[in-house]
Amino acid sequence: MKNNLLTEKLAYNGESRTKTHVHLLRYTADRFEESLCDDFTRFESGKDPAEKLWVRVHGLEDAACIQEVCTRFGVDFLAVQDILNVDHPSKVEVFDDYNFLISSIVCHDRTSRVRLVQGSNFVLSFSEGESAFYDGVVEALRNNVLKIRQRTSDYLFSVMINELTANYISVAMSIGNDLDDLESELIAATDSRDVGARLQNSRRRYMELKRIVLPLKEQYMRMLRSDVGLIREENLPFFNDVNDHLLHVSQLIDSCRETFSSLMDLSAANNDLRMNDIMKRLTIVSTIFIPLTFLAGVWGMNFRYMPELEWRYGYAMAWCVMLAVGVAAYFIFRTKRWR
């Protein structure tokens, strides 16, 4: 990783090739406008002081475009670097003019980065691809659900963070359900060949979720304790609710960690039992054939005077004796329940 303090060049380091484009949402209590915007002069607020902006940026490939959008709203150069750096861990930062949040959206086996910036009358959201993740929030603004358009930008910010925490709770519960299914299979000792692979896949999802959520939980309270005033007192209950959700996700993650530990032990115990069962079967087969091998060895010795060799029914009798010994050994083991 290069030292970002030694360069003035901005570059996106992710793999998404979604062309950078901007959706501009302008709204007041009585009006809502949505447009695809490539003219950055439209970012300027209108004459209505009650107007709020939500700038949705999809695709981070065009670093110059990202920088221009951020410059319009006074976002610091280092924050722009963090927006373009997909390897940056989750964090929350509080500046004089805006709050800045870095996180990710977890969708099945894919993780998409998201960055949120909240100012006094605007919210900026940056996503790697053409994400429909916040379409429900757009619909709520369009229909003025719970009078969301009358509220300030920090309320919209809390709703967007709440969407993220809802995503994390959903993923954590999905991992928990998968672990419950694996636990049932391991307890039943079913001969499922893909249990180990599924366990590792769930563990990978768990580690990714943990990497996203824990830094966010530790730093989230920075915004609520800030004296800058971007979070209004009447909206603090909504942010506290988000904090409760983060704590809930953290508890689910801890529960998954304990379950993983017990499942790994259970899986190892099942493998030992399966190996012991295989060795037991091989031992039984070997034990049955040991007396047969002894008899074959006796009758296979090249002594000149061996009565059975001259006997007319010696061959048939040898087969009968060996079969009788083998069947007797089989029933003895079965009577003892193969112990």
Side-chain angles (χ1 to χ4, degrees):
M1 182 176 177
K2 295 182 179 180
N3 189 341
N4 63 320
L5 299 180
L6 298 178
T7 179
E8 296 181 355
K9 184 178 180 181
L10 292 171
Y12 166 62
N13 63 347
E15 297 179 353
S16 175
R17 291 297 171 257
T18 302
K19 184 178 179 181
T20 303
H21 57 285
V22 181
H23 292 271
L24 177 62
L25 288 78
R26 311 173 77 111
Y27 63 94
T28 62
D30 305 318
R31 176 172 51 85
F32 174 80
E33 296 178 6
E34 181 180 6
S35 60
L36 184 63
C37 179
D38 53 7
D39 181 7
F40 298 113
T41 59
R42 299 187 62 186
F43 289 157
E44 303 295 342
S45 298
K47 296 181 180 180
D48 189 350
E51 183 180 72
K52 274 102 44 192
L53 299 178
W54 176 12
V55 182
R56 301 181 70 191
V57 181
H58 300 275
L60 304 179
E61 190 176 23
D62 189 347
C65 176
I66 302 298
Q67 184 179 20
E68 187 168 0
V69 172
C70 291
T71 301
R72 289 280 180 177
F73 293 93
V75 178
D76 186 78
F77 178 79
L78 291 177
V80 180
Q81 285 187 325
D82 292 343
I83 290 173
L84 295 171
N85 180 15
V86 299
D87 297 323
H88 201 291
S90 300
K91 75 170 182 178
V92 174
E93 282 192 313
V94 178
F95 295 88
D96 292 338
D97 299 323
Y98 59 90
N99 292 318
F100 181 40
L101 181 143
I102 292 179
S103 190
S104 300
I105 302 167
V106 183
C107 182
H108 301 294
D109 292 334
R110 184 175 58 86
T111 301
S112 177
R113 279 71 178 180
V114 63
R115 283 82 172 96
L116 302 178
V117 180
Q118 178 251 328
S120 59
N121 65 341
F122 67 87
V123 173
L124 312 179
S125 63
F126 301 87
S127 56
E128 281 192 280
E130 185 65 48
S131 174
F133 184 74
Y134 284 122
D135 284 357
V137 182
V138 176
E139 191 66 23
L141 281 171
R142 185 178 293 115
N143 299 321
N144 200 21
V145 176
L146 297 176
K147 298 181 179 181
I148 187 174
R149 295 206 300 259
Q150 279 95 315
R151 301 178 185 267
T152 51
S153 63
D154 54 326
Y155 177 77
L156 176 62
F157 188 49
S158 72
V159 171
M160 297 174 72
I161 303 175
N162 209 358
E163 283 286 303
L164 288 173
T165 58
N167 172 248
Y168 303 148
I169 291 175
S170 176
V171 173
M173 294 183 67
S174 173
I175 294 173
N177 291 336
D178 291 342
L179 294 180
D180 289 341
D181 293 340
L182 288 171
E183 185 177 29
S184 299
E185 293 184 25
L186 288 172
I187 291 176
T190 56
D191 189 19
S192 182
R193 303 293 181 180
D194 64 340
V195 167
R198 288 162 56 195
L199 186 60
Q200 290 301 321
N201 182 58
S202 296
R203 185 176 183 277
R204 183 181 59 79
R205 294 175 61 201
Y206 155 78
M207 293 300 295
E208 181 68 19
L209 183 64
K210 179 180 177 181
R211 186 183 66 83
I212 294 170
V213 172
L214 292 190
L216 198 61
K217 180 183 76 71
E218 294 171 359
Q219 301 180 35
Y220 177 77
M221 294 301 295
R222 289 181 179 178
M223 292 188 299
L224 307 189
R225 296 170 182 162
S226 172
D227 297 329
V228 174
L230 290 173
I231 306 298
R232 292 166 174 78
E233 186 174 355
E234 63 269 21
N235 291 325
L236 278 177
F238 303 109
F239 284 90
N240 289 329
D241 185 59
V242 172
N243 186 55
D244 292 340
H245 292 169
L246 285 172
L247 293 176
H248 179 46
V249 178
S250 179
Q251 292 171 354
L252 290 175
I253 290 175
D254 289 339
S255 175
C256 288
R257 183 193 49 165
E258 295 173 1
T259 305
F260 269 116
S261 178
S262 63
L263 288 183
M264 295 296 285
D265 293 340
L266 185 57
S267 178
N270 277 359
N271 288 334
D272 291 341
L273 289 174
R274 192 176 296 111
M275 183 63 67
N276 289 340
D277 188 55
I278 293 172
M279 294 303 297
K280 181 181 70 174
R281 294 178 185 178
L282 293 175
T283 302
I284 290 172
V285 171
S286 300
T287 306
I288 291 175
F289 277 90
I290 284 174
L292 305 183
T293 305
F294 170 75
L295 293 174
V298 170
W299 285 315
M301 291 186 294
N302 296 321
F303 289 111
R304 183 173 182 181
Y305 299 105
M306 185 176 289
E308 294 88 346
L309 296 180
E310 303 296 333
W311 187 31
R312 180 178 179 180
Y313 302 104
Y315 178 74
M317 182 57 67
W319 271 109
C320 291
V321 170
M322 287 190 289
L323 287 174
V325 170
V327 171
Y330 170 81
F331 279 106
I332 289 173
F333 284 119
R334 185 170 181 181
T335 302
K336 295 182 176 293
R337 297 184 179 179
W338 311 102
R339 294 176 182 173

